[in-house]
Amino acid sequence: MNIPEGYDPRAFEPFAVTVDLAVLTVRSGRLHVLLVQRGQEPYAGTWALPGGFVLPRESAGAAARRELAEETGLSDATVAGLHLEQLRTYTEPDRDPRMRVVSVAYTALVPDPPEPRGGGDAAEARWLPYDEVPALAFDHDRILADARERVGAKLEYTCLATAFCPPEFTLGELRQVYETVWGVPLDRPNFRRKVLTTPGFVEAVEGPPRRTGGRGKPAALYRAGEATALHPPLLRPEGRSA
Amino acid sequence: MNIPEGYDPRAFEPFAVTVDLAVLTVRSGRLHVLLVQRGQEPYAGTWALPGGFVLPRESAGAAARRELAEETGLSDATVAGLHLEQLRTYTEPDRDPRMRVVSVAYTALVPDPPEPRGGGDAAEARWLPYDEVPALAFDHDRILADARERVGAKLEYTCLATAFCPPEFTLGELRQVYETVWGVPLDRPNFRRKVLTTPGFVEAVEGPPRRTGGRGKPAALYRAGEATALHPPLLRPEGRSA
DNA sequence: TCAAAAGTGTTAGTTCTACACCCATGC
DNA sequence: GCATGGGTGTAGAACTAACACTTTTGA
């Protein structure tokens, strides 16, 4: 590394490091995003991804989980079980007009859409349907688009979809995750076979098949399995991106 | 965001932001990594990934490309054409004993292995076979392992393999990239068919088939195509990771 | 003439896709 | 009953894996 001799941390204009969260969920067949309304300049009144500064003795992952708990109002135990994954880091020098801010973005997948409490600190927090999201503050449009693209791609070759589901779920719910994120309908019988023949994707919950939902035959319940990758993958039709 | 009112950038102990590079190439059937020997504490004398500080008005991607040019000694034009991709950001508070350093790691894929010039600034730079890499400084073992895993996975569903090849290459060279990174032999006829039937993966170079790598029938030359994704993917046998 | 690597062909097995069809439940 | 969603079956298409065979070069 090019370490200047006797490098003094305070010699440079310092960088601030933040985390930004793209918190996604599937609610009633639509992809939703958790957004907060900014309370102060810059971009006061504009919607933005939740996030905040990384504390001096904290990793970015820990900061992300802390912010996630604050913004959703969920218990620490619940938040500990959520899927949280580093997405990408955004470093353009002028992405924040105030100062040099490097942001480590995370994608969080949330099973059920609990109405967020407004967050301890600041303005309103709300779930918005993905395709009704207005222009966001900073480069958050870009971050959100990247998150959506990444999630869509990872559904193909990982077991990620179960992270959108509650601990016990039906195959219909799982299929709806795919259909919602990809925006295409899938063949029910084929989806079922594919999931059940992939070892470790899901495991059946013992006991009588209970139901979930209104009409129709009661569906069997499943839990997420041990597997993390999908071999072979579950490809979206036509290889289309959305 | 939790922005403290009247936030003063210098109120916190500042973060330093660096880039670290996992520069990979395939040389004579083995995966190689570009490493530098550290000239100063901490970890003086230990091998490490090349990298350096992000300058105040520079994006991390620009810093990565600048460092890559410095360490390999290649021309700016050449470096501009190399595949450089953000891998992940490493933020553990104690990853550098001197101070709080957040590192944005990049993966670079280099076609031909030009011997690195020692780098303008510091110690020796050298290509080492991946499986002879000793313990590295900081958390660079982890970064390197992550890079290798990511590259192996991306070979399956992207056209990334061409980034390891010179501008014009034979299918045998392309196949060797896969075999080397995955560590498994592939069936030549099937590989050929797969590549040629994937639209936009490679395009034939006009003119008489040239390039005799020594023995054997001369092979036709190809260029990288327009496509970036592979649908359907080229799965490694057994879904194994290495 | 032999070894090595390119390139073509073929076949059996598997997986995927697109349906048809029956089942259990709420209204 | 009937609409709705769960679950099973199946025939054809598409794809994959394995391997036999020919071609063209260097030694």
Side-chain angles (χ1 to χ4, degrees), chain B residues 173-206:
Chain B
E173 291 166 341
L174 187 64
R175 181 169 45 83
Q176 188 169 268
V177 169
Y178 279 89
E179 294 181 333
T180 301
V181 176
W182 287 349
V184 294
L186 298 179
D187 183 86
R188 195 171 2 92
N190 293 337
F191 178 82
R192 174 189 186 80
R193 258 186 299 267
K194 179 69 187 177
V195 170
L196 292 182
T197 60
T198 300
F201 193 175
V202 299
E203 50 189 44
V205 171
E206 295 303 322

Side-chain angles (χ1 to χ4, degrees), chain A residues 7-17 91-102, chain B residues 7-18 53-58 99-100:
Chain A
Y7 175 82
D8 173 14
R10 290 169 184 77
F12 288 155
E13 183 191 7
F15 291 73
V17 179
T91 66
E92 289 303 315
D94 294 311
R95 55 181 298 280
D96 187 318
R98 293 166 295 177
M99 59 180 293
R100 187 68 197 268
V101 178
V102 162
Chain B
Y7 174 82
D8 172 14
R10 289 170 184 77
F12 288 155
E13 181 191 10
F15 290 72
V17 179
T18 62
F53 286 91
V54 176
L55 302 180
R57 297 281 318 147
E58 185 184 50
M99 59 180 293
R100 187 68 199 267

